[in-house]
Every structure is written in structure tokens, then in C-alpha cells.
């Protein structure tokens, strides 16, 4: 359980809340950028014919940030962009299932109790429409989204060099397949390509996630007591981390 991110943790496995489908053991991890059309910005320009992202650009439409380049293509080869309405609809359902499962498993990530499918879908729709958000997903062998992580860019001119990692979520049935470190590595490569020099995040103090971030090279700033409320009404501490990616 974390306050805003949720790498793999121990816990009972619950099925997806949507249509039943077994989550297969992942033999080839797929991580790709997930971008929906957003009013006033965030519209994708076409991917290449082979389904990769080389040469793909994104119109950011982010006022107040002079000089920021458009986001670079995803760093790893073989990543594909989602460009069909059917895929987007199915992916929203999967993202809602992942969110619900993680909250049911003890992650607060903004909720004290698990949202309904409708609430989770509406939340993802609004989140993905924000032109300051960049989201990546990991899929199982059936092509179903089972993991996701996002980067929240800063719209303020004096913060164009930094971003926050948010909503690192892995469905409990898909844990142990290295989705969390894969997503984090993908975000860091993207951030470096965007000439971002500072990333931040927060997680529940004492959680497994806290130890994982240290293992992945993140530095602790400190803990804020009583930061987030969890099921049952208790208030838990949150630990703030940062990672410097190099001089801008």
C-alpha cells in the first residue's frame, strides 16, 4: 500500500472486476505509452507503419512553459501507440480494473475504499485527458493492461525541469513479472530524453515500495506524519523521494 504508487506487494490475489480472463505469466513484457486525445493538447501524431514510435511526436499544448520541447518518442524499440477508439475503450476498462484491484489490496492511491468500476473509469478518463500527464502501460500475454505508471509534468515555467512519478500500479495477479521496475526505467529514459533533471514521488512509510525505491536509486527527503488516511480511518506517514537525472 502506498499513498500514490504501488509496486508489487504481498497479498491475496483477486480476479479482475471486469470480464473474467486469466492473467497469464508474462513471457515477454510489453510496455508502451498510452495517450488519449485531450482538449487543447495531448493529441498524438501518427506512429510508424511497423507499430513503433520512432519519429512520433506529441503536441503538448501546455501554456506557460516556454521552450519545452515536445515529448520524445518512447525509448524502447517495439513500443506501439494506441490509436483506435475500440482499443481505448477496452484499455480504460483494464485500467479501471487495475486501479480497483490495487485499492482492494491495500493501496490508498487517493482512495480510502475501492472505487466502483464507473468511478474508476471516469477517474482514468479525466486523468488521461490532462495534457500534463504521460502514461505508460504493461500488458500480459493476452494484451490486457495489468500495470501502469504515469509522469505528471509541471506546468509552471520555473518547474519545467522536473516531474512527479504517480500512479505506479500493478495488478496483484501480474506481480513478480518486473513490470514495476520496467515502467520506472521507461519513465526515467523518457525524462532524460525530455531533458528533465529532477523526478519526485511519494509512498507510504514502511511499505515494500519504500524499500524498492531505495533499491532503484531514489533518495529520501523525509517523512510527513499523518499524510494519508487508510481503510479504517487511520492516518499513515508518507515518505518523499527524489532522483536527480543530471544537469539540465
Amino acid at each position: 500500500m502506498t499513498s500514490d504508487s504501488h509496486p508489487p506487494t504481498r497479498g491475496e490475489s483477486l480476479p479482475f472486476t471486469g470480464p473474467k480472463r486469466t492473467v497469464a505469466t508474462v513471457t515477454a513484457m510489453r510496455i508502451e505509452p498510452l495517450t488519449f486525445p485531450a482538449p487543447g493538447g495531448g493529441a498524438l501524431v501518427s506512429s510508424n507503419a511497423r507499430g513503433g514510435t520512432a519519429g512520433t511526436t506529441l503536441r503538448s499544448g501546455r501554456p506557460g512553459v516556454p521552450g519545452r520541447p515536445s515529448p520524445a518518442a518512447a525509448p524502447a524499440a517495439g513500443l506501439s501507440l494506441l490509436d483506435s477508439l475500440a482499443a481505448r475503450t477496452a484499455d480504460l476498462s483494464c485500467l479501471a480494473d487495475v486501479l480497483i484491484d490495487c485499492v482492494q489490496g491495500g493501496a490508498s492511491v487517493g482512495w480510502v475504499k475501492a472505487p466502483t468500476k464507473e468511478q474508476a473509469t471516469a477517474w482514468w478518463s479525466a486523468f488521461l485527458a490532462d495534457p500534463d500527464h504521460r502514461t505508460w502501460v504493461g500488458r500480459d500475454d493476452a494484451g490486457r493492461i495489468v500495470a501502469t505508471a504515469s509522469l505528471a509534468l509541471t506546468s509552471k515555467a520555473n518547474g519545467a525541469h522536473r516531474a512527479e512519478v504517480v500512479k505506479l500500479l500493478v495488478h496483484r495477479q501480474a506481480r513478480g513479472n518486473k513490470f514495476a521496475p520496467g515502467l520506472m526505467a521507461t519513465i526515467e529514459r523518457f525524462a532524460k530524453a525530455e531533458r528533465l533533471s529532477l523526478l519526485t514521488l511519494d509512498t507510504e512509510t514502511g511499505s515494500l515500495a519504500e524499500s524498492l525505491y531505495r533499491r532503484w536509486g531514489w533518495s529520501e527527503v523525509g517523512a510527513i506524519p499523518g499524510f494519508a488516511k487508510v481503510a479504517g480511518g487511520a492516518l499513515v506517514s508518507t515518505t518523499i523521494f527524489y532522483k536527480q537525472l543530471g544537469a539540465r
Side-chain angles (χ1 to χ4, degrees):
M1 176 179 61
T2 67
S3 57
D4 204 23
S5 52
H6 193 53
T9 60
R10 298 186 183 88
E12 72 174 311
S13 295
L14 294 180
F16 283 115
T17 58
K20 292 184 178 179
R21 179 182 294 180
T22 301
V23 178
T25 300
V26 178
T27 56
M29 181 168 60
R30 294 171 53 195
I31 295 176
E32 60 190 39
L34 180 62
T35 306
F36 284 40
L44 272 173
V45 181
S46 62
S47 59
N48 64 35
R50 297 179 60 184
T53 58
T56 302
T57 58
L58 190 74
R59 300 188 184 100
S60 65
R62 301 176 60 229
V65 187
R68 176 184 287 281
S70 60
L79 303 184
S80 60
L81 297 174
L82 305 179
D83 57 7
S84 72
L85 179 60
R88 291 182 184 130
T89 301
D91 285 332
L92 271 177
S93 179
C94 290
L95 285 166
D97 290 340
V98 172
L99 174 59
I100 292 168
D101 176 78
C102 288
V103 177
Q104 289 176 338
S108 62
V109 290
W111 283 267
V112 174
K113 62 179 182 179
T116 65
K117 184 64 173 284
E118 292 73 20
Q119 289 172 333
T121 301
W123 184 88
W124 272 114
S125 295
F127 183 85
L128 292 168
D130 189 326
D132 287 340
H133 292 156
R134 304 289 181 265
T135 297
W136 290 262
V137 297
R139 299 179 184 273
D140 65 12
D141 290 335
R144 189 181 183 93
I145 292 174
V146 293
T148 180
S150 299
L151 195 63
L153 303 176
T154 303
S155 58
K156 298 176 181 178
N158 69 350
H161 64 289
R162 68 177 188 265
E164 181 183 7
V165 178
V166 297
K167 296 297 181 287
L168 174 58
L169 303 166
V170 181
H171 194 286
R172 285 175 289 173
Q173 291 184 347
R175 293 176 189 170
N177 292 298
K178 298 185 178 180
F179 278 115
L183 285 164
M184 291 296 287
T186 298
I187 284 178
E188 286 187 29
R189 288 195 297 267
F190 173 88
K192 289 177 181 177
E194 282 295 286
R195 294 185 291 172
L196 300 176
S197 59
L198 177 66
L199 297 180
T200 63
L201 59 81
D202 66 81
T203 191
E204 184 182 332
T205 304
S207 65
L208 174 61
E210 186 179 33
S211 63
L212 289 176
Y213 289 130
R214 290 194 181 94
R215 185 188 309 170
W216 297 338
W218 289 73
S219 300
E220 178 182 340
V221 176
I224 303 174
F227 186 82
K229 182 181 292 186
V230 296
L235 297 177
V236 297
S237 298
T238 287
T239 302
I240 310 298
F241 285 91
Y242 72 92
K243 177 175 275 194
Q244 292 178 312
L245 303 179
R248 185 173 171 80

